[in-house]
Amino acid sequence: MFENRPKRDAEVVFVGRSNVGKSTLMRELTGHSKFNTGKKPGVTREPNHFDWAGESFMFSDLPGFGFMSGVEEERREAIKTDIVRYIEEHADKILVGVLVVDGKSVVDIIDRHTGEDSIPHDVEMFYFLEELGIPTVVAVNKMDKVDDRDERLNDLCDRLGLYPPWEQWKGDTIAPIVAKRGQLEPLKEALRHHFHEAKRDDLLKFVK
């Protein structure tokens, strides 16, 4: 179980498969370089919390889930269980859950893991956050590598049970971004929306 969570009353959690660019996204969002990034999936094994002195708020980058090269399945399942427990335990303090996906590959991955008795991790996590009543934003990263942008985003909405076209989910649920280039405005817009809905306009300064 993850320990050492800073005592903060509000947080935004970032979840997603390994290697979708969560740590790069966190670094760009916070302007802080402490987040480890690497070519090897699964670099982040414990949550990375980023908080501010004097502020009862933080961003939390949770470890990547799903397949990780060189990591045994038992260990992968344990990490996923820890992520689920963490979110359940702190649900009342989580203002927004951000599910980070790779825009180029997410639809194919979902389709590959969809079966009669199996739900892909990304879809499962999306529903899990929603069931807990946590406002959820899907940050669709690496969009600079996607040619058929609208079609791909519509397909993703379809797989998540959201009615296309994707544009109707813009601003609160679907946020196409390119973390590596710092192109995060759609995500910031969605976070601003949810902070405002939660009557936490005091936090808008963190997503200018």
Side-chain angles (χ1 to χ4, degrees):
M1 189 60 192
F2 305 137
E3 305 294 341
N4 305 321
R5 179 188 182 275
K7 287 187 171 16
R8 296 293 182 268
D9 295 331
E11 71 179 301
V12 173
V13 296
F14 291 76
V15 295
R17 288 180 178 276
S18 299
N19 236 17
V20 294
K22 284 200 321 304
S23 298
T24 302
L25 168 55
M26 291 289 283
R27 196 172 56 206
E28 290 293 331
L29 193 59
T30 63
H32 203 280
S33 59
K34 80 169 185 174
F35 299 101
N36 295 319
T37 61
K39 291 282 183 195
K40 191 173 178 187
V43 168
T44 308
R45 298 291 172 87
E46 291 286 323
N48 271 320
H49 300 290
F50 189 87
D51 57 350
W52 289 262
E55 300 280 353
S56 196
F57 168 74
M58 65 183 174
F59 288 118
S60 297
D61 175 23
L62 301 185
F65 55 74
F67 176 76
M68 292 172 245
S69 177
V71 180
E72 293 175 7
E73 186 176 352
E74 192 176 323
R75 174 71 182 134
R76 294 199 301 262
E77 285 301 315
I79 290 171
K80 190 177 154 207
T81 300
D82 282 347
I83 293 168
V84 166
R85 282 186 186 151
Y86 180 93
I87 293 171
E88 283 180 333
E89 193 173 320
H90 304 293
D92 59 332
K93 295 183 172 69
I94 298 174
L95 294 178
V96 187
V98 179
L99 173 62
V100 187
V101 300
D102 182 329
K104 191 172 173 63
S105 62
V106 63
V107 173
D108 299 330
I109 289 172
I110 288 174
D111 288 351
R112 196 159 60 235
H113 290 89
T114 300
E116 285 182 18
D117 52 2
S118 65
I119 301 174
H121 288 323
D122 302 282
V123 178
E124 188 179 28
M125 188 61 71
F126 181 75
Y127 287 148
F128 172 64
L129 290 164
E130 297 261 294
E131 279 167 18
L132 288 176
I134 297 171
T136 306
V137 178
V138 183
V140 192
N141 194 18
K142 307 184 184 181
M143 287 303 292
D144 54 324
K145 296 186 170 134
V146 176
D147 298 326
D148 47 351
R149 178 188 172 92
D150 289 340
E151 184 183 339
R152 184 62 43 156
L153 291 170
N154 285 340
D155 286 346
L156 176 58
C157 284
D158 179 64
R159 304 305 191 272
L160 294 174
L162 303 171
Y163 291 109
W166 77 271
E167 284 93 346
Q168 66 181 327
W169 303 102
K170 193 177 172 186
D172 59 6
T173 308
I174 299 292
I177 61 169
V178 184
K180 194 170 62 177
R181 297 182 183 172
Q183 295 171 3
L184 305 180
E185 185 50 36
L187 173 60
K188 290 180 178 180
E189 182 186 352
L191 291 174
R192 288 194 293 266
H193 168 81
H194 291 300
F195 290 168
H196 183 68
E197 289 289 300
K199 297 183 168 51
R200 291 302 304 266
D201 284 0
D202 57 306
L203 301 178
L204 294 176
K205 61 191 174 188
F206 295 112
V207 284
K208 283 181 183 170

